[in-house]
Amino acid sequence: MRSGVLLKFRAVLFALGFYPVTILFAPFCLLLGPLLSFRQRFVFFTAINYFYIFWLRVTCGLKVEVSGRENLPQEGAFVAVANHQSEWETLYLQLLVRPQAVVLKRELLKIPLFGWALGMLNPIALDRSKPRDALKQLLQQGSERLKDGVPVLIFPQGTRVPVGKMGRFNKGGTMLAVSNQVPIVPIVHDAGRYWPGKSFIKYPGVVKVRIGKPVAVEDRPVDEIHAEVMGWIEQEMVKQESGA
């Protein structure tokens, strides 16, 4: 009982920092964003994410441990694919892959202030009610971002999947990488253990992030590459669930 009250109290503290700071910061992004280049805009807009991660640690006892950071390419564009469990990943992965164009649902851009600022970071905003059109848009806009040297981050499960479940991994990210002949970098985390999707409560602990080695796509079929990448992700997710 007492621990439940404490968790709610800590979550309220996080919210008392998160929402006011976001509301105050967003107008500056909207005012200054048009004056900045995309890369400058990304650095400026996502500076607030450092505060979010810091505030999570202070208020909720939620820390981060990353392994395989050396596997992130230092030059050239790539496609990063990650499992989808928690709101946490939308905050932290912007600090891990910099800059990036994230694939997200179009509805997010309609959120006042936050969504408007997010739209200025050139995301690939898909209408998930039209799968065929969404795939065409992903391949077209994703190719444009990659040609500009900007990595694309995609969550192949499409929606948040609770810890312990895999969901279905779509091939959009693999198809994008193959069509542009850029590597795929798989990323796995277990944030859903500590910040379950759509949950107000955050649990203390250490989110473990694992970054796999880039997977080459040259002269290989989509199905073979997809099986390799998603096989690694599934294997690492199982390891994390077992505490390995």
Side-chain angles (χ1 to χ4, degrees):
M1 179 69 176
R2 187 175 299 175
S3 62
V5 172
L6 180 59
L7 286 172
K8 290 180 181 178
F9 175 72
R10 299 178 82 170
V12 169
L13 281 181
F14 175 74
L16 289 175
F18 179 89
Y19 290 106
V21 170
T22 302
I23 291 171
L24 289 172
F25 187 67
F28 288 100
C29 293
L30 296 174
L31 288 171
L32 297 177
L35 306 177
L36 304 174
S37 68
F38 167 73
R39 292 177 186 274
Q40 292 171 331
R41 195 183 309 146
F42 187 90
V43 170
F44 178 62
F45 283 26
T46 59
I48 195 173
N49 291 35
Y50 290 101
F51 166 74
Y52 294 149
I53 299 303
F54 163 78
W55 196 234
L56 269 173
R57 185 171 71 250
V58 171
T59 58
C60 301
L62 189 52
K63 303 175 183 178
V64 185
E65 177 184 292
V66 181
S67 60
R69 194 185 293 269
E70 69 278 2
N71 292 326
L72 288 173
Q74 299 301 306
E75 296 182 0
F78 58 93
V79 174
V81 293
N83 61 315
H84 208 12
Q85 287 186 348
S86 167
E87 282 81 355
W88 176 91
E89 67 225 16
T90 63
L91 305 179
Y92 187 77
L93 294 186
Q94 283 189 326
L95 303 178
L96 195 63
V97 180
R98 299 176 64 77
Q100 65 170 251
V102 65
V103 179
L104 46 74
K105 57 183 180 181
R106 190 173 60 183
E107 292 80 2
L108 290 176
L109 303 186
K110 299 178 182 179
I111 300 174
L113 296 179
F114 170 82
W116 304 339
L118 182 60
M120 297 178 72
L121 292 181
N122 295 347
I124 301 172
L126 305 180
D127 182 353
R128 295 191 300 183
S129 67
K130 301 177 181 179
R132 290 186 179 180
D133 291 343
L135 179 59
K136 290 180 181 179
Q137 182 185 348
L138 169 63
L139 296 178
Q140 178 184 344
Q141 294 186 7
S143 296
E144 292 172 357
R145 307 295 191 275
L146 292 171
K147 288 176 182 176
D148 287 337
V150 178
V152 173
L153 171 64
I154 185 169
F155 301 99
Q157 290 164 303
T159 189
R160 291 186 178 89
V161 178
V163 175
K165 297 184 179 180
M166 289 293 173
R168 178 179 174 273
F169 294 89
N170 66 62
K171 297 180 182 179
T174 307
M175 295 171 67
L176 176 63
V178 171
S179 63
N180 288 274
Q181 292 293 282
V182 298
I184 302 175
V185 178
I187 301 172
V188 168
H189 65 85
D190 59 353
R193 281 186 176 184
Y194 311 101
W195 185 349
K198 299 182 180 179
S199 172
F200 181 70
I201 299 296
K202 289 86 174 166
Y203 300 91
V206 180
V207 176
K208 291 183 172 60
V209 182
R210 295 177 179 173
I211 306 169
K213 294 182 179 180
V215 176
V217 302
E218 292 82 0
D219 301 320
R220 300 178 63 192
V222 169
D223 287 347
E224 178 185 307
I225 299 167
H226 185 73
E228 178 181 343
V229 173
M230 300 311 152
W232 184 89
I233 288 178
E234 291 180 357
Q235 183 181 44
E236 293 301 315
M237 288 174 66
V238 170
K239 287 182 181 178
Q240 288 185 335
E241 290 163 16
S242 65

